[in-house]
Every structure is written in C-alpha cells, then in structure tokens.
Amino acid sequence: MTELRSRRLMLVHAHPDDESINNGATMARYAAEGAQVTLVTCTLGERGEVIPPELRHLSGAALGGHRLGELREAMRALGVTDFRLLGGAGRYCDSGMMGLPDNDDPGCFWQADVDQAAGLLADVILEVRPQVLVTYDENGGYGHPDHIQTHRVAMRAVELAAGAGWDVPKVYWNRVPRSVVEESFARLHDDLAGLPFDKAGAVDDVPGVVADEQVTTGIDGTAYGSAKAAAMRAHATQITVEEPYFVLSNELAQPLFTTEYYELVRGERAVSRESDLFAGVGEAP
C-alpha cells in the first residue's frame, strides 16, 4: 500500500507521453514539494505513430513495451515513483485514432466496459486516497477514443470510490486558456526560422483550449520546465523537443507550456484563479 502523505495527487491518462505533455511541470513541482504523485496510464500506446526512423520497426506489443520503458524514464525525470498501468500491463490496448478499424478491436480501451475499468481505477483511488484527481474533459481534449474513454472511466471511478469510502475532494480537467495559446503561437511564428521544424501548428492543435474565464487554476511550473522537457524527450518515439517548442508525428511545431492550466469540475470554486491544486484541501490523511 502506498504511504499516505498529507497531499496526494492522482493523474489519469490514456497513453505514455500524455502525462508529460499535459502535466509534466505540475507533476515535477508537486513531487519536489513532497506530495504523493500517482499516475495511472490506461494503455501502452501500441498504435502510436513512431517518429525516429530507426524505431519505426516497432509496432503492437513491441512498441507498447518500448513505450513503457520511455514512461519509466519520463517518471525518473519528473521525480515520480508511483506510476501504474490500469489493470496491469496489456489489460487494455491502444484504440487508434477515431474512425479507424482499430476502434473495433475487442481488446482495445475504447471497447472496454466502463464500469469494469472504473472499478479497477476505483481500487487505486481507495488505496491512494487522493485529494486531487486530474484527467480530460468529455471530449478527451481532442477527440481521441482512448482520451474520451479515460474521461468516462476516471469520472465513473470517482463516483464508485465515493460510494466505497473515499470521496475525492477536487477533480480537474486539463485546460489551456485561449489567450495563452494565441500569444505562444505568435512567438512561435517569430521563432520558426531558427528552429529545426518546418511548419507551425495552429491554436486548434492544442488539446483543451477554452475561453480564459473557464480556467480556474494555473500551476506555475517554470522552475520545473527543464524536468518537463526531459520527460517529453524520454518519449522519443512520440515527441521531438526543441525548447520551448516541440513536435509530434504530424511535424507541426507547438509551444511547450511550463505553466499548466486546469478547470475545477468537482469541489468548491474559488472567487479568483487558483495557483495550487490543493487550495482549500485539509492536509490530514
């Protein structure tokens, strides 16, 4: 059983690399401050597109195993020691992009029974007893089936855990304020000529972009930007980093955010924007 610390943060993600892109600075900051940081990853990303030519021979289970190794390296960079695969390695496989035949694979996460998968996650919640849980919105940030399913499973697991003895006080969804993204892309366009990337992405390429007023919380992880970048580099099959920018397999450059943003969807909202995910949470285990 995980040692119960006074502050406990759980993050639920679809594939290895999602945690570092979305929450790497947040995870590194809270881990450095002594909080218990627990990551639950739902699949190994066996159907991800591989960037480096020398690794493109990897697919299926071989790619999943390689990406698990990348996840271990990323967690080392962030200082996180408690990371788990939902139901164990290989329980649920990557579903591929929306609309592909891969979505029909009976072993993929998109086809998983939500209550069954949520029960597995609820067991982890009951063990760790997090005061804060972070996951995606109902569209999974950008519409990937595994991200949507992760949202469904995480939110249902919170309900199941509440009925079994641990009511998670605060649940957040990953967000990015539109003004921040627009300003960052304006800088990217100015910097693009000096980068090893040919094209810039667009605001809509960033998952979870919403109107500024919808964002309830901003976590300043500037001091942990190098840790986030290192964690992202560890996911070499999926990400190429050139700080403060990166590309995925689409080869479209986008900003690497060291301040990370959230929307509180369960718990009492503060009048002004929070700067701490644990704001208003008592520290007694």
Side-chain angles (χ1 to χ4, degrees):
M1 181 170 180
T2 302
E3 173 192 357
L4 289 182
R5 304 183 192 178
S6 60
R7 296 190 301 167
R8 301 179 298 280
L9 166 64
M10 179 177 290
L11 305 100
V12 186
H13 277 288
H15 316 103
D17 82 343
D18 293 324
E19 79 299 321
S20 297
I21 296 171
N22 287 279
N23 313 114
T26 299
M27 295 170 72
R29 172 179 161 176
Y30 282 113
E33 291 177 357
Q36 172 65 40
V37 178
T38 298
L39 169 68
V40 180
T41 305
C42 296
T43 82
L44 284 172
E46 297 91 340
R47 292 187 166 107
E49 295 181 5
V50 177
I51 295 175
E54 66 274 17
L55 295 176
R56 287 179 188 164
H57 64 283
L58 294 171
S59 63
L63 177 56
H66 188 89
R67 293 189 69 179
L68 177 57
E70 292 181 335
L71 181 62
R72 292 191 183 102
E73 289 300 314
M75 293 302 96
R76 187 174 294 112
L78 298 178
V80 173
T81 57
D82 185 15
F83 54 97
R84 310 162 186 226
L85 296 169
L86 183 64
R91 179 62 179 266
Y92 301 110
C93 73
D94 189 340
S95 307
M97 299 300 288
M98 187 66 83
L100 295 179
D102 297 331
N103 303 165
D104 298 324
D105 182 345
C108 79
F109 193 46
W110 184 239
Q111 293 295 329
D113 180 271
V114 170
D115 274 358
Q116 181 184 62
L120 296 171
L121 182 58
D123 288 343
V124 183
I125 293 174
L126 291 168
E127 175 192 339
V128 175
R129 292 194 271 172
Q131 297 108 331
V132 176
L133 185 143
V134 171
T135 192
Y136 315 110
D137 65 11
E138 64 274 9
N139 189 45
Y142 71 107
H144 191 293
D146 287 332
H147 286 240
I148 294 170
Q149 188 77 319
T150 296
H151 161 85
R152 294 171 178 167
V153 168
M155 299 305 291
R156 179 60 176 147
V158 168
E159 294 176 353
L160 293 175
W166 184 256
D167 193 0
V168 180
K170 301 181 83 175
V171 175
Y172 291 91
W173 293 344
N174 292 302
R175 295 297 194 195
V176 192
R178 182 165 293 275
S179 68
V180 170
V181 181
E182 290 174 346
E183 291 166 6
S184 298
F185 272 101
R187 288 194 297 272
L188 169 57
H189 282 286
D190 291 340
D191 294 343
L192 190 60
L195 296 173
F197 310 132
D198 294 329
K199 297 180 181 178
V203 169
D204 290 342
D205 292 323
V206 178
V209 176
V210 292
D212 289 29
E213 57 269 21
Q214 198 169 331
V215 173
T216 62
T217 312
I219 303 301
D220 184 356
T222 305
Y224 302 95
S226 60
K228 174 172 180 168
M232 290 173 64
R233 284 193 182 95
H235 292 291
T237 59
Q238 307 299 304
I239 311 171
T240 303
V241 177
E242 183 71 24
E243 293 180 74
Y245 305 107
F246 71 98
V247 297
L248 300 172
S249 60
N250 60 11
E251 299 183 347
L252 298 176
Q254 58 180 292
L256 189 161
F257 297 109
T258 56
T259 296
E260 294 166 344
Y261 298 91
Y262 304 89
E263 179 185 2
L264 180 68
V265 296
R266 181 184 177 94
E268 186 174 349
R269 292 196 177 198
V271 175
S272 57
R273 185 177 288 180
E274 300 173 317
S275 58
D276 180 9
L277 295 174
F278 293 93
V281 173
E283 291 199 351

